[in-house]
Structure formats: C-alpha cells, structure tokens
Amino acid sequence: MKKSLLAAALIAPFLTGCVIAVSDGEAETHWAGKNSSSWQARHKNNREVISELKMDSSYQSVLTQLKTPNFTELLKKDDDVYQVLFYVTHSKHSDSKTTKDECTPLVFKNDKLVGIGETALGMITQ
C-alpha cells in the first residue's frame, strides 16, 4: 500500500489532462471581463445593441453604437439610397471566418433605419 502511494505521488506531477467544454453557443465569459475581444462576447454585444435600436435611427448613430460592420452594401433604387450594414450575431460555421449568413442586416433608407433582418433586406432587393 505504501509503495502504491509513493509511486502515485512520484508520477502525479508528470500527468497531464485535457478539459473539453461543451456549450450551446451562449457561453458566458465572465473571466474575460467586459472588454473581452472573444467572438462570443462580440456576438452577444451586437445582439443586445441591435435589439434596442429604434426605427428611424440615423445611420451615424447606429454606426457609433456598433462600430465597423462586418459587411456593407449600398444600393440606389429610384430616388432612394439604401445602405445595409451586416453585423455578426451568431455562428453557423466553425471555421473562424465570418460570413453574411452569420450576420444580421440593418437596412437604412436615406440615412434612416427602416428595417432589421433578412425580411427587411428582401424588401429592397426584390
């Protein structure tokens, strides 16, 4: 018995392990702090800000709140100018690259927010 304990005590420092964390995509990153640059924190922040946006918000005020978009599009239709800002809000691919299908589009007409999401985007591209 003493030999077993002694052997375990001697080899314990050389043992290594692996931890696998499983999440549903809503990982809490309290350890990283409020200014975390992790992708989960960025997605969550974008969702929170977008959920509080008001219709007719100015293009500049939204840009100030959300900063640089992941993608942008600009379209002139009749006499109206449409700007679409795409912000990453959810992950579909585990390739560490952001694609438009992982973003929420914000649609502006003549510098005013007129819609959020794929339905709003579809209304101007028809």
Side-chain angles (χ1 to χ4, degrees):
M1 174 80 169
K2 286 184 181 182
K3 287 181 182 179
S4 297
L5 289 174
L6 180 60
L10 291 174
I11 64 167
F14 300 106
L15 296 177
T16 61
C18 179
V19 176
I20 298 173
V22 179
S23 169
D24 64 356
E26 289 292 322
E28 292 295 325
T29 54
H30 298 293
W31 56 269
K34 245 184 159 64
N35 295 324
S36 171
S37 62
S38 73
W39 62 269
Q40 296 104 331
R42 183 170 183 211
H43 291 196
K44 184 177 180 188
N45 180 66
N46 287 350
R47 287 192 306 270
E48 288 172 353
V49 172
I50 290 170
S51 73
E52 294 180 9
L53 291 176
K54 305 288 184 222
M55 285 303 198
D56 294 325
S57 295
S58 73
Y59 173 84
Q60 192 58 50
S61 72
V62 172
L63 201 56
T64 299
Q65 291 178 67
L66 285 164
K67 309 294 182 224
T68 306
N70 296 93
F71 303 97
T72 60
E73 292 182 358
L74 183 64
L75 168 74
K76 184 168 183 173
K77 190 173 182 180
D78 300 321
D79 290 332
D80 297 312
V81 175
Y82 292 90
Q83 292 169 291
V84 184
L85 305 180
F86 293 85
Y87 289 94
V88 64
T89 54
H90 54 283
S91 181
K92 288 186 177 182
H93 315 286
S94 59
D95 59 2
S96 74
K97 295 177 183 167
T98 301
T99 57
K100 280 187 182 176
D101 66 341
E102 297 173 317
C103 296
T104 298
L106 307 181
V107 180
F108 295 84
K109 178 181 177 182
N110 301 323
D111 289 326
K112 296 291 181 190
L113 182 65
V114 295
I116 298 172
E118 294 298 325
T119 303
L121 182 61
M123 292 175 68
I124 66 168
T125 58
Q126 294 178 9

